[in-house]
Amino acid sequence: ATYLTAQTKGGGVYVNSPSQGLTIGGATLGGLTGITTLGNSGGTVTVQAGGTLDVNQAIDTHAAATSGLAGGAVLLKSSGAINTATTNGTITTTGGTSGSTGGTGGEVFVYSTGAGDITLGAAIQAKGGDVTAGTNGSGGVVTIRNDSGAIVLYDITTAAGSGGSGGSAGTIQVKSAGGDITQTASTVLTAANVKALSDSNVTLANSGNNATTVAASITAANKAFSYRDTDAVAVGSITVDGSTIDGTNAQLGTVTGI
């Protein structure tokens, strides 16, 4: 495997390992661990692997304090399994704080194109930035897609920032082929919208989940969908979310009802 540690203050990070696996956090460089940028549209992180992709240290693209800038986008893409470590494998794309307008949370796209499960063992935070007064930052979009395997989710939040008014929570969307979608016990999904597409069972039944709207499309017979929310929730229509961070692969389409 290839081991990666990186830090940048003014730009993005792009790593491509097309023929082998990749481990984030396996190297130490001047005391650095994981990958860090200071967000905004250029502060993105892209890591692609031709085998298993292990995130053993944090990826952090949250915008600088008081900047009001957006968090940087994160793309993790592999032709095999993708794992984020329970202890340190967090992904944070929170928008910058501000006195008046908080930054938007950065987009996160975790995508396996080949055989292998996606197992999230640590939290993903794509929250909007907080403010002391004014407009809260809006949450980002988190997309987890597996073209040939199961997905296990951990804590994910796309909540809006706090301290002011306005701002909106973002979307969590998941898609699997050939494997169930589940979440680790006692973990929580927090978003305005939760969207699921699968040809297998989808079980998002933890009591702390908190969304405004839920929609799902289950495309195979004898497969079930289960969702539990901590308070009110509506079965509705969730439109296309996700940017062109990886072509149109993160744009999972509109889903209406269940």
Side-chain angles (χ1 to χ4, degrees):
T2 299
Y3 296 93
L4 171 67
T5 296
Q7 183 178 50
T8 177
K9 293 184 178 180
V13 175
Y14 176 87
V15 178
N16 187 14
S17 177
S19 61
Q20 61 181 340
L22 186 64
T23 299
I24 295 173
T28 300
L29 178 63
L32 299 179
T33 58
I35 300 174
T36 303
T37 77
L38 289 181
N40 209 10
S41 59
T44 61
V45 170
T46 300
V47 181
Q48 301 187 59
T52 298
L53 174 53
D54 289 317
V55 180
N56 292 336
Q57 296 291 336
I59 298 175
D60 190 345
T61 65
H62 81 271
T66 74
S67 70
L69 298 175
V74 173
L75 168 62
L76 302 179
K77 185 175 181 180
S78 172
S79 61
I82 301 176
N83 306 296
T84 62
T86 300
T87 303
N88 297 311
T90 55
I91 300 171
T92 304
T93 65
T94 299
T97 58
S98 172
S100 58
T101 304
T104 301
E107 182 176 359
V108 178
F109 184 26
V110 180
Y111 182 25
S112 173
T113 62
D117 295 341
I118 296 176
T119 304
L120 303 182
I124 296 176
Q125 296 192 51
K127 296 177 59 179
D130 296 336
V131 295
T132 54
T135 304
N136 301 321
S138 294
V141 177
V142 175
T143 306
I144 314 296
R145 176 175 173 176
N146 195 340
D147 287 352
S148 183
I151 296 173
V152 180
L153 302 176
Y154 203 78
D155 291 315
I156 302 175
T157 179
T158 65
S162 61
S165 60
S168 59
T171 294
I172 298 170
Q173 50 184 9
V174 291
K175 181 178 181 180
S176 73
D180 292 347
I181 299 174
T182 60
Q183 62 181 144
T184 299
S186 301
T187 61
V188 174
L189 306 180
T190 303
N193 306 305
V194 172
K195 178 198 301 182
L197 304 93
S198 182
D199 60 4
S200 302
N201 297 300
V202 177
T203 306
L204 306 175
N206 290 354
S207 60
N209 293 334
N210 193 354
T212 302
T213 304
V214 63
S217 175
I218 307 300
T219 58
N222 297 315
K223 302 298 181 180
F225 174 82
S226 177
Y227 175 81
R228 183 178 180 182
D229 200 276
T230 191
D231 52 25
V233 68
V235 175
S237 180
I238 301 176
T239 57
V240 175
D241 284 300
S243 71
T244 57
I245 187 174
D246 185 44
T248 60
N249 290 322
Q251 299 173 8
L252 301 189
T254 298
V255 177
T256 300
I258 297 174

